[in-house]
Amino acid sequence: MTIAAPALPYANNALAPHISEETLNFHFGKHHMGYFKKLTAAIEANESLQGKSLEDLIASTSGGTFNNAAQVWNHSFYWNSMSPNGGGAPTGAIAAAINEAFGSFDNFKTQFGAAAAGQFGSGWAWLVKDAEGKLSITSTGNAETPLTEGLTPVLTCDVWEHAYYVDYRNDRGGYVQAWWNLVNWDFANSNL
Ligand code: MN
């Protein structure tokens, strides 16, 4: 098994004006692909890593290999968490699940925004599902991912500065506000 090269599910300019083409050129083209190239090099150099899926590598490695594997997975999940046709209120099963877990979509937005704002330094805000199917919000630092906690990611927002500094400078809150205009509820439903 070889790890497939990441691909953006839309054009680099498709998320504008909320996230610019320049941001995606760097974030996908340099950062995400950079993690993939480093991971590929680590696999080529270490026979014990060969033949494993990305998820297996995340579960079984540490240090640089874990960081690059998790960042490859997290970024692919992040791109799919957004859509040029996204945003607005949740639809389908995720709408009912959010209301059940958080009381209302507005409460969910407030709590998710607080998790994104409150993640000190680089990391990720997540909507996750536990083994009982209950939704919750969590955040992780650096490359850490809820996959290693036995949780099922439903949506994520990348809050590394490279995700927003070109468009929003230091205003992480402004970036997260804009992210709501892109949320891919169809993808969230597919993860329930
Ligand atoms: Mn990123």
Side-chain angles (χ1 to χ4, degrees):
M1 178 182 294
T2 52
I3 307 297
L8 262 188
Y10 32 73
N12 288 29
N13 64 0
L15 303 183
H18 309 297
I19 297 176
S20 67
E21 179 174 13
E22 184 182 0
T23 289
L24 288 194
N25 286 345
F26 279 88
H27 197 179
F28 174 73
K30 301 297 182 187
H31 292 280
H32 193 181
M33 288 304 291
Y35 298 125
F36 174 71
K37 286 174 184 168
K38 287 178 185 166
L39 178 64
T40 300
I43 292 170
E44 281 173 6
N46 185 341
E47 203 169 316
S48 75
L49 301 176
Q50 294 167 11
K52 292 187 169 182
S53 69
L54 194 54
E55 289 80 2
D56 285 345
L57 290 169
I58 290 168
S60 64
T61 62
S62 60
T65 302
F66 169 84
N67 286 337
N68 286 308
Q71 285 293 79
V72 168
W73 194 96
N74 289 348
H75 280 89
S76 292
F77 196 84
Y78 169 66
W79 306 129
N80 282 298
S81 292
M82 301 182 289
S83 165
N85 306 312
T91 53
I94 189 67
I98 283 173
N99 284 336
E100 188 183 330
F102 306 103
S104 69
F105 178 47
D106 281 346
N107 284 347
F108 167 64
K109 284 179 72 174
T110 300
Q111 291 177 38
F112 191 93
Q119 171 57 42
F120 184 77
S122 297
W124 302 81
W126 302 85
L127 175 64
V128 296
K129 186 183 76 166
D130 69 14
E132 281 75 49
K134 184 173 164 31
L135 295 183
S136 63
I137 293 164
T138 189
S139 63
T140 60
N142 297 318
E144 293 293 331
T145 170
L147 290 177
T148 59
E149 307 294 322
L151 296 165
T152 301
V154 177
L155 288 171
T156 195
C157 182
D158 185 344
V159 296
W160 284 58
E161 279 189 348
H162 66 219
Y164 57 87
Y165 214 81
V166 167
D167 298 327
Y168 299 91
R169 296 306 178 197
N170 61 321
D171 182 12
R172 184 188 287 184
Y175 154 71
V176 175
Q177 279 301 114
W179 180 82
W180 291 111
N181 295 308
L182 300 168
V183 176
N184 185 346
W185 296 116
D186 291 339
F187 181 65
N189 274 312
S190 75
N191 294 318
L192 281 185

